[in-house]
């Protein structure tokens, strides 16, 4: 992540050439030097290597923690949203009450004249 990146050099022809060329290896095929020699003793069969998987495996405890954390997050977000909605409703009701009071005061002054 903190290693410098080598910039590419765009040419007028439209070809992009890196500044440093990677070394070319001539032959990467494995060379067999000798055939396997048969022996008289018994070998245990080789265990297959476990296939790498991208899936995350959780223990039952880990799964319970993830579910509880998700449920807690949903409850907290829901409580915040409900409280914001309640604050908006209370503000709207108070503005409406102020508007009614002001209208009645203004109407009362016009009747006296």
């Amino acid at each position: 992540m903190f290693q410098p990146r080598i910039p590419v050099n765009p040419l007028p022809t439209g070809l992009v050439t890196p500044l440093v060329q990677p070394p070319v290896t001539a032959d990467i095929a494995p060379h067999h030097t000798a055939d396997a020699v048969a022996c008289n003793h018994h070998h245990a069969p080789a265990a297959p290597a476990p296939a790498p998987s991208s899936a995350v495996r959780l223990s039952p405890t880990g799964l319970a923690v993830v579910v509880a954390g998700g449920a807690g997050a949903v409850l907290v977000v829901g409580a915040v949203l409900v409280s914001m909605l309640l604050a908006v409703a209370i503000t709207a009701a108070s503005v409406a009450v102020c508007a009614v009071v002001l209208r009645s005061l203004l109407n009362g002054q016009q009747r006296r004249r």
Side-chain angles (χ1 to χ4, degrees), residues 39 41-48:
C39 55
H41 56 279
H42 179 70
H43 292 278

Side-chain angles (χ1 to χ4, degrees), residues 6-12 14-19:
I6 300 172
V8 293
N9 193 12
L11 299 176
L15 298 174
V16 178
T17 308
L19 294 176

Side-chain angles (χ1 to χ4, degrees), residues 62-76:
L63 183 62
V65 167
V66 169
V67 168
V74 166
L75 289 176
V76 167

Side-chain angles (χ1 to χ4, degrees), residues 7 11 22 25 30 32 39 41 51 60 64 66-67 75 77 83-84 86 99-100:
L11 299 176
T25 56
H32 296 287
C39 55
H41 56 279
V66 169
V67 168
L75 289 176
V77 169
S83 64
M84 288 172 60
L86 186 62
V100 168

Side-chain angles (χ1 to χ4, degrees), residues 37-111:
V37 178
C39 55
N40 293 332
H41 56 279
H42 179 70
H43 292 278
S53 65
S54 62
V56 177
R57 295 185 183 191
L58 292 175
S59 64
T61 305
L63 183 62
V65 167
V66 169
V67 168
V74 166
L75 289 176
V76 167
V77 169
V80 168
L81 291 177
V82 166
S83 64
M84 288 172 60
L85 180 65
L86 186 62
V88 168
I90 290 172
T91 303
S94 65
V95 167
V97 167
C98 289
V100 168
V101 168
L102 285 175
R103 189 175 80 176
S104 69
L105 287 174
L106 291 175
N107 284 339
Q109 285 181 354
Q110 287 179 358
R111 287 183 191 165

